[in-house]
Amino acid sequence: MSSAPIVVHPPSSTVGRRVSVHSQGRDEILGTAYSDHDLVVFLEGAGIQDPDGILDDDRWIEWRGGRAHQWSAA
């Protein structure tokens, strides 16, 4: 299991990936992202500084069940 506070969950059967953040001992779902842009907007809303700069940083984001930046099911 990763210690990254942000999880991009596996692609859904249609399109998009749920995004959650672990903060203050609990998980909060930020929404469903359909692109890197959506993910950046969610991260900005969660107060993350320089969200573009952390998309490929595994200390911050864990991409589950698919490649990073892949937004639809394979």
Side-chain angles (χ1 to χ4, degrees):
M1 179 172 199
S2 172
S3 61
I6 300 155
V7 175
V8 179
H9 296 269
S12 71
S13 60
T14 54
V15 69
R17 298 173 81 153
R18 192 176 72 217
V19 178
S20 63
V21 62
H22 186 80
S23 176
Q24 300 176 346
R26 64 184 186 89
D27 292 327
E28 176 183 349
I29 296 172
L30 300 179
T32 301
Y34 299 93
S35 66
D36 283 357
H37 174 76
D38 292 343
L39 179 56
V40 167
V41 170
F42 289 151
L43 299 179
E44 286 174 340
I48 303 294
Q49 298 294 321
D50 186 29
D52 286 307
I54 68 166
L55 294 184
D56 293 309
D57 187 338
D58 60 6
R59 294 172 297 173
W60 278 96
I61 298 181
E62 176 186 356
W63 295 83
R64 290 186 184 166
R67 294 189 325 264
H69 314 285
Q70 176 185 353
W71 297 101
S72 60

